[in-house]
Amino acid sequence: MKISYYNGEFKNDDEISVDYNDRAFYFGDGVYEVVRVYDNAFFTLGEHMDRLVRSASEIEINGLDREKLIDIIVELKEKNSIGNGSIYIQVSRGINPRNHAYPTGSEPVILAYMNEMARPSHQMENGVQVITANDYRWLKCHVKSLNLLANVMEKERAVRAGAHETLLHRDGVVTEGSSTNVFIVSDGVLRTHPANHLILNGITRQEVLKIAEAQGLEYVEKAFTLDELKSADEVFITSTTQEVTPVSHVDGEKVGDGAKGRVTQKIQEDFNQRIHELNLVK
């Protein structure tokens, strides 16, 4: 039986009852993070908690205790016998009868649970197909908000097209995927959209840039167009759950020869090494 956490209590999953007046339910009024666990150790937990607190502050949920959040996650892992998986943690503005304006006197509500999750080895080796679509989301994409309706619809668009992901663009300029960041390699240079309000600054994205720096690989945080995406030598997507996954086809067209590229392979190798070396909390 799995143990989860909601509003101050650890309970068996079948005993958890989410209050229907929780503003996460009415408005998606909150933020979240997903943290990976490999071999019973956290990967980049500190970075995820920093971003969670930062996202909360961006939507004026203030005063979160970072160390308390870490304590909850650590205890949750200890209560569940899952060696390889993910922990989802969510913070809503609180519990109050439905009203658009912020409630007064409500305390933030924390929800956290853990699932088993294998590494996406097949996808990381063989690559995935993606499609492209217009990015019509709000203009605070740097906030890891619970408001994911557009992302959900674009992921479904990919599934219906027999693809893995939808890469989004604004007026032909690629931003990110529905649940991933995106990189291209052209003429030996690694490129990804700058970390501004149009994308989420992914933790795995940040790790990839650190790897590129350590490798001496030329990289630039500069937006690229759909044409540049489709003519790139290599394309890959990143996220906490997807790690570093090569893209074999964009809108049905092969990327390069359709196989995983040399730069992507080397980044994957170094990322794998970081999984074993950069467990910040054990």
Side-chain angles (χ1 to χ4, degrees):
M1 179 67 70
K2 286 197 305 178
I3 303 296
S4 296
Y5 178 93
Y6 179 68
N7 200 19
E9 296 183 286
F10 289 96
K11 292 183 177 181
N12 293 337
D13 271 7
D14 60 1
E15 298 174 331
I16 294 287
S17 178
V18 176
D19 194 305
Y20 71 87
N21 277 319
D22 191 323
R23 286 175 65 91
F25 176 73
Y26 283 137
F27 300 116
D29 188 0
V31 294
Y32 76 101
E33 284 289 336
V34 178
V35 183
R36 281 302 299 260
V37 175
Y38 297 107
D39 296 326
N40 205 38
F42 292 111
F43 182 63
T44 58
L45 174 57
E47 288 89 336
H48 281 285
M49 292 303 97
D50 288 341
R51 188 173 64 182
L52 182 62
V53 172
R54 198 160 54 241
S55 289
S57 178
E58 285 278 350
I59 64 168
E60 300 181 299
I61 298 176
N62 298 310
L64 287 185
D65 186 332
R66 178 183 183 276
E67 297 311 310
K68 177 184 176 182
L69 295 171
I70 290 177
D71 288 344
I72 290 169
I73 288 182
V74 169
E75 186 170 352
L76 184 66
K77 180 171 74 68
E78 291 172 350
K79 290 179 179 294
N80 289 279
S81 56
I82 297 176
N84 291 282
S86 65
I87 290 181
Y88 176 89
I89 183 167
Q90 168 182 300
V91 180
S92 78
R93 194 175 303 278
I95 296 171
N96 208 265
R98 188 179 188 278
N99 185 358
H100 282 68
Y102 297 169
T104 57
S106 293
E107 293 294 322
V109 172
I110 300 169
L111 165 70
Y113 61 85
M114 188 172 189
N115 285 325
E116 290 190 59
M117 180 176 290
R119 298 185 67 183
S121 302
H122 179 79
Q123 295 169 358
M124 290 193 295
E125 182 59 34
N126 297 290
V128 296
Q129 298 192 41
V130 303
I131 60 172
T132 61
N134 184 53
D135 190 347
Y136 51 85
R137 301 171 299 162
W138 73 328
L139 294 177
K140 290 190 176 184
C141 295
H142 61 294
V143 176
K144 200 167 177 67
S145 160
L146 302 180
N147 292 275
L148 295 173
L149 183 57
N151 304 67
V152 168
M153 293 178 71
E154 290 307 325
K155 183 68 78 173
E156 178 62 17
R157 186 198 297 265
V159 170
R160 291 181 181 180
H164 178 76
E165 174 67 301
T166 300
L167 300 185
L168 305 172
H169 65 90
R170 294 182 188 265
D171 298 322
V173 176
V174 178
T175 49
E176 60 184 345
S178 68
S179 64
T180 59
N181 292 117
V182 57
F183 291 77
I184 65 171
V185 180
S186 295
D187 298 324
V189 179
L190 182 68
R191 288 176 63 181
T192 192
H193 196 286
N196 58 19
H197 66 286
L198 297 179
I199 73 163
L200 179 71
N201 187 10
I203 303 301
T204 305
R205 173 190 182 278
Q206 296 172 46
E207 290 298 307
V208 166
L209 294 178
K210 292 174 187 175
I211 288 169
E213 181 78 26
Q215 288 181 356
L217 175 64
E218 186 178 353
Y219 70 90
V220 59
E221 295 182 73
K222 181 181 178 182
F224 49 86
T225 66
L226 279 172
D227 288 342
E228 289 173 312
L229 170 71
K230 294 180 178 182
S231 64
D233 301 318
E234 301 178 38
V235 179
F236 62 87
I237 55 177
T238 63
S239 76
T240 294
T241 57
Q242 297 299 300
E243 300 187 15
V244 179
T245 293
V247 171
S248 62
H249 294 74
V250 177
D251 289 334
E253 301 175 18
K254 277 186 180 180
V255 176
D257 61 4
K260 177 168 58 176
R262 178 185 60 81
V263 173
T264 304
Q265 173 68 36
K266 188 64 170 65
I267 289 173
Q268 281 183 340
E269 291 171 358
D270 286 6
F271 184 79
N272 189 59
Q273 187 63 30
R274 283 176 177 251
I275 287 174
H276 297 292
E277 292 179 351
L278 295 184
N279 295 311
L280 300 183
V281 178
K282 297 184 179 179

